[in-house]
């Protein structure tokens, strides 16, 4: 253990070896985070996260080098630029579907955190960077599974449903009544060839949302159904 801390202390020094190791660590950690996001079918994957983390680390390394080499500068100037600029990249990972379903918020937040992780690595805070990396992986894997399970069995359910005619509304209301669901809110838009409904329900007890969606989708009048998640 003592050897590990000695190695970490050495990496906090600014020299050719420590700089190389920092960049390699940034690439490896960014790639690991990106692999998980890519597996989740997100628009930002392994290459994007690796480049963001490595680029952030390099920006911080350059900042430190300029101060040590020329004796002037601000050690957080480039870091501030990275943190601000990564927000624009994060926006590109957020997708709003045609049914107003927002996706990609977790990926955007992970991308921003990965950039900050790269800055930490570039600054030589290896120990805190490793801890942060492990916590990020915990959040997007283990906690992600818990969150998905919680969403799937939540008592509140919000749906976007497209029906082919107004008769489908009556059948839908009959189904809600039979199941004992409480309608908290409902917005309806009637077109010439469709009826678009956004409805929020209180199920009264925990039920599998997939089962409910499957039952509603089997109605003849239902053209499209999607759960709205935030």
């Amino acid at each position: 253990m003592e050897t590990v801390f000695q190695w970490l202390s050495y990496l906090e020094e600014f020299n050719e070896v420590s700089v190389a190791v920092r960049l390699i660590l940034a690439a490896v950690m960014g790639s690991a985070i990106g692999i998980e996001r890519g597996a989740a079918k997100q628009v930002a994957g392994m290459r994007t996260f690796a480049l963001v983390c490595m680029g952030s680390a390099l920006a911080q390394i350059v900042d430190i080098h300029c101060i040590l080499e020329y004796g002037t500068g601000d050690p957080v100037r480039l870091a501030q630029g990275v943190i601000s600029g990564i927000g624009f990249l994060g926006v590109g990972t957020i997708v709003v579907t045609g049914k107003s379903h927002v996706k990609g918020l977790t990926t955007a937040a992970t991308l921003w955190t990965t950039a900050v992780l790269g800055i930490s690595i570039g600054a030589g805070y290896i120990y805190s960077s490793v801890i942060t990396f492990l916590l990020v992986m915990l959040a997007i894997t283990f906690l992600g599974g818990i969150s998905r399970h919680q969403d799937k069995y939540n008592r509140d359910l919000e749906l976007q449903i497209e029906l082919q005619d107004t008769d489908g509304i009556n059948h839908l209301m009959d189904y809600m009544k039979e199941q004992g669901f409480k309608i908290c809110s409902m917005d309806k838009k009637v077109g010439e060839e469709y009826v678009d409904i956004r409805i929020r329900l209180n199920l009264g007890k925990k039920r599998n949302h997939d089962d409910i969606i499957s039952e509603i989708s089997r109605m003849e009048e239902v053209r499209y159904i999607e759960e709205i998640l935030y």
Side-chain angles (χ1 to χ4, degrees), residues 35-66:
I35 287 173
E36 192 284 332
R37 291 288 82 195
K41 306 297 183 183
Q42 299 299 315
V43 292
M46 181 179 68
R47 291 179 297 176
T48 301
F49 278 87
L51 289 171
V52 165
C53 195
M54 191 166 48
S56 301
L58 181 60
Q60 188 62 35
I61 289 170
V62 169
D63 221 348
I64 295 173
H65 173 76
C66 289

Side-chain angles (χ1 to χ4, degrees), residues 167-202:
D167 290 339
I169 299 177
N170 296 328
H171 293 163
L172 185 63
M173 293 302 105
D174 289 341
Y175 170 80
M176 302 298 179
K177 186 176 180 180
E178 290 174 2
Q179 298 297 321
F181 299 158
K182 178 182 177 182
I183 299 176
C184 300
S185 65
M186 185 174 74
D187 295 323
K188 179 175 64 175
K189 180 180 179 181
V190 180
E192 293 183 359
E193 299 180 353
Y194 70 92
V195 178
D196 201 22
I197 294 176
R198 183 166 180 160
I199 186 169
R200 187 162 64 88
L201 304 171
N202 185 312

Side-chain angles (χ1 to χ4, degrees), residues 20 40-41 65 73 96 102 116 148 152 171 179-180:
K41 306 297 183 183
H65 173 76
V96 181
V102 180
V116 179
R148 286 189 291 272
K152 190 175 181 180
H171 293 163
Q179 298 297 321

Side-chain angles (χ1 to χ4, degrees), residues 208-222:
N208 190 323
H209 293 185
D210 291 342
D211 293 342
I212 297 172
I213 292 172
S214 177
E215 290 172 2
I216 295 176
S217 66
R218 286 197 290 269
M219 297 181 183
E220 293 183 3
E221 299 86 354
V222 176

